[in-house]
Amino acid sequence: MGAELPDYYFRVRENGAAVFRVDTENRQRRIEMDQIAVINIKNGEVKPHGDRTLSDEDIAQIEQWMANRTALLAQRDIDDIHRAVDYLNITTQWVQSKATDDQLEDVTDALLLAMHDLRSILVRKKADRLLKDGAE
């Protein structure tokens, strides 16, 4: 069983993870998880748990997990935006074909304000990119 399990387990938390070293090489052949650190993915901070000193292997595994996690979160962000574009299209179709007057009354102002806010920022960011590209 020891070869099947990873040497480290990362329990995902709101802004990072708790890091555990996995041990199956004990007399009872039970899985033991010993917490060795806490990670804050937002600021890159790694705090050893208690009075532990992290080994070079611990640090390498934590840094690899942090790089993989950051890439995964970035990928999820862009996937969420692509889903939002799809949802806007579905919403447009709903407004055009199915929405009742009462339903439209309920959502129109909120949708218009949100879309206006989004459009304003998108236009400003696009102009910034065009100006930056023209300056290069």
Side-chain angles (χ1 to χ4, degrees):
M1 178 187 260
E4 298 171 17
L5 295 175
D7 293 333
Y8 295 87
Y9 172 71
F10 296 83
R11 181 193 302 150
V12 175
R13 297 167 31 149
E14 181 70 26
N15 290 322
V19 184
F20 297 85
R21 192 175 297 123
V22 178
D23 178 19
T24 57
E25 301 297 326
N26 54 63
R27 292 192 320 218
Q28 294 85 13
R29 298 181 56 104
R30 292 184 180 159
I31 299 171
E32 293 182 6
M33 296 191 330
D34 185 25
Q35 186 173 357
I36 62 170
V38 175
I39 299 168
N40 183 323
I41 200 85
K42 298 224 185 251
N43 65 13
E45 186 174 58
V46 177
K47 289 184 183 176
H49 184 69
D51 57 355
R52 299 205 180 272
T53 302
L54 299 176
S55 71
D56 290 343
E57 177 64 16
D58 294 338
I59 293 168
Q61 290 289 328
I62 289 168
E63 287 174 348
Q64 182 63 50
W65 183 87
M66 290 174 73
N68 292 345
R69 183 70 180 173
T70 300
L72 175 64
L73 293 174
Q75 178 184 359
R76 284 182 181 170
D77 281 347
I78 198 69
D79 286 345
D80 287 345
I81 300 306
H82 286 292
R83 277 193 285 287
V85 171
D86 288 348
Y87 204 72
L88 281 170
N89 286 311
I90 291 167
T91 301
T92 302
Q93 185 61 36
W94 172 80
V95 166
Q96 183 178 9
S97 63
K98 295 180 184 177
T100 66
D101 288 345
D102 288 341
Q103 290 171 324
L104 289 173
E105 188 63 35
D106 188 40
V107 299
T108 296
D109 290 344
L111 278 169
L112 286 171
L113 288 169
M115 291 185 316
H116 174 74
D117 186 30
L118 176 59
R119 183 184 183 284
S120 297
I121 292 173
L122 286 171
V123 168
R124 185 177 67 233
K125 293 284 192 171
K126 177 86 172 189
D128 290 349
R129 287 193 314 275
L130 290 172
L131 289 173
K132 186 175 98 176
D133 288 344
E136 290 178 356

